Every structure is written in structure tokens, then in C-alpha cells.
Amino acid sequence: MTARSVCAAEAGPSRTDGVPHTATDIGDIVMAHDDQPPTGPGGGVPLLLLHGAVQTRAVWAGQMAALAARHRVIVPDLRGHGATPLGHERLTIERMAQDCLVLLDRLGIDRVAVCGVSLGGMVALEMAARAPETVTALVLSNTPRSLSGSRRVRRLIDRLDPQRLLHPAFRILGQARTARIGLALAATLVGPFWVGRAARRHFIAGFATMSPEAIVATYRALVESRPLDLDRIGCPCLVVDTLHDATTIREQAADIVAEAPNARSVVLEGGHVANLDNPAVFNRVLADFIEAPGRWK
């Protein structure tokens, strides 16, 4: 297909960071993304970076700077996040994966390494299952296989019912204050180091600038997702675990390593967003893996 891209000024300004970006028509919506060509000799496979829930492509700024010497780096705002509209399609993990595959096709990229954090990792897994000929390597950071797969998380979600509570909370408290209260609750339930300072800032900004409909749709997509058959993931896969992530996410990371045919893991110091919590080490691990993913088998 022919790439159909417009500058951000034509597509509408970003609501999150104001950073100029490209916006590419992927069908029912125009998807905002950065597309950084290699700044050095290049030669490495292109790299797609996928952010977590209620965040934006801005979380990857440190990785773009570190990896663009050898790689073309593509960093989108997922559907409903940042400068990418929600559209009218029901938001699901599968829908977001298809969005990213169409974006790659529009950009003329037929082989790519994909790194995702949290929700972005779930999208990356779905991409690899759908298009094994396209995804050459996976890096899954702080990635649950499925929130519905954990009985403890399922019970908590059923008890709190965020889809029911969020709209009234937004009306009464405002979105930014709702985010701060949610983070305080998470610190009590999971631990004080689960969300680091930089991740907290990005999370509150995402919560404050996303539409309420997009936030609720994103959480619904997470809750409704079902565990993927990991036998479908044939490419080399690096699972990045962190010491202060939630227990259920760490357990599911171990499940991915045990069940995906070519998966290995590394454990870093940090909380739920490793690329923000421990960027120097994360960048080194990511660069080493995508340079020679077969070496990690």
C-alpha cells in the first residue's frame, strides 16, 4: 500500500506533549506516531515501541535517543491515546495490534522488532501471533499475559468495577485528581515503588488529557482480553521483569518465559514501567537483544 501521511499540524495538535509528529491514515482513524530514521550507519532492523495504558509515545523519548543510531524507530500513540483518536471501532487488544500492523504496512515496513511495556507488550504479543512473518523479535516489559487470567486481579476488578466508577469520579474529582487517588491506592495495594516518579508523571498527564471515553474503553479492553496461546509466538522473545512490579504481573511474565518457545527473561531494578524507572540498563538490554536476538535463544 502507499503511505498516506500528513503532518501533525494538518491532523490536529497533540493534546499530550505538543511535539511535532507524523499522522498516518490507517483506515478509520489517523494514527499519530514518530518515525526516526537511523542517525548513524544504520543496518539494524526497524524497531516499533509501544507504550502502556493511559500513557503516550512520550514515554519512549529516552529509548529513541539511544537506539536511533542503528535503527529506524517508530513510536505511535495507540488508539485513543495521545494524539491518536479513539474512533468508532470497539477498543480491544486485537484492534490495537491490527492498527499497528496497518501502520507498518503504510510505512513500507515488512520486518520489525517490537518492544512494548504493559498494555504495549500485550499488543506486541498479539502482533507476533497475527503476523509472524513481520515480527522478527519481541521485547515484553512488565507485560501481563491477560488480566482476566489472574483470579486475584479478576476479583479486585469485579469488586471495584472501574468502568462503572470512572465516569462519576471524573465528574466529581476531575481526571488528574482521580489519577492521583488511583496511584495512592495502587501504592497501598501493590507497594510504594510500583509506579516510579517519571511513570507517575506520565500516567497523570495521560489521565488528564485523554477523553473519559478513551480511558474507560482502554480499561475495558484490558479486562476483556484473554490469554494468548503462546505456542503461536515463534520469534525470539525477551521478557523484562522488574523487582517492584505487581506479583501477578511477575507471575505471568514467568508463565510467558515457560510457555513461549523462544523466550528468555531478565530481571531489572524498577517498578511497572522499566524503561522509565531504569532507562540506562533498559536501553542496554534492549539494544543488545535486538542486535542479535538469536543469541538469546
Side-chain angles (χ1 to χ4, degrees), residues 47-51 60 63-64 67 73-76 113 115-116 286:
L47 176 62
L48 178 71
L49 302 176
L50 303 178
H51 62 76
W60 294 110
Q63 286 65 52
M64 286 190 71
L67 296 164
V73 184
I74 301 94
V75 191
C115 174
L286 176 57

Side-chain angles (χ1 to χ4, degrees), residues 106-180:
R106 294 282 197 266
L107 298 177
I109 296 172
D110 56 9
R111 291 176 67 76
V112 68
V114 185
C115 174
V117 61
S118 192
L119 166 67
M122 298 170 73
V123 174
L125 266 174
E126 182 66 30
M127 289 178 67
R130 285 175 171 240
E133 72 286 353
T134 298
V135 178
T136 64
L138 278 177
V139 178
L140 307 175
S141 180
N142 309 104
T143 297
R145 187 176 174 186
S146 168
L147 292 185
S148 64
S150 166
R151 291 181 180 177
R152 285 175 296 181
V153 174
R154 181 77 257 175
R155 285 197 300 268
L156 180 63
I157 290 170
D158 289 342
R159 188 179 304 125
L160 296 178
D161 193 2
Q163 296 178 65
R164 179 177 57 84
L165 293 177
L166 283 174
H167 279 302
F170 293 158
R171 287 195 299 270
I172 295 168
L173 302 171
Q175 290 175 218
R177 189 177 179 194
T178 299
R180 292 186 175 92

Side-chain angles (χ1 to χ4, degrees), residues 21-110:
H21 59 269
T22 299
T24 295
D25 183 350
I26 62 168
D28 69 311
I29 61 168
V30 173
M31 193 171 194
H33 59 93
D34 297 318
D35 187 352
Q36 173 66 57
T39 58
V45 65
L47 176 62
L48 178 71
L49 302 176
L50 303 178
H51 62 76
V54 198
Q55 297 184 342
T56 73
R57 69 190 193 282
V59 303
W60 294 110
Q63 286 65 52
M64 286 190 71
L67 296 164
R70 281 189 49 79
H71 301 271
R72 179 181 179 182
V73 184
I74 301 94
V75 191
D77 283 333
L78 295 173
R79 182 180 288 259
H81 293 69
T84 298
L86 180 61
H88 300 293
E89 298 276 353
R90 185 175 180 84
L91 191 63
T92 63
I93 302 299
E94 294 80 6
R95 176 71 263 173
M96 287 185 272
Q98 186 62 25
D99 288 344
C100 292
L101 290 169
V102 173
L103 175 65
L104 293 173
D105 186 57
R106 294 282 197 266
L107 298 177
I109 296 172
D110 56 9

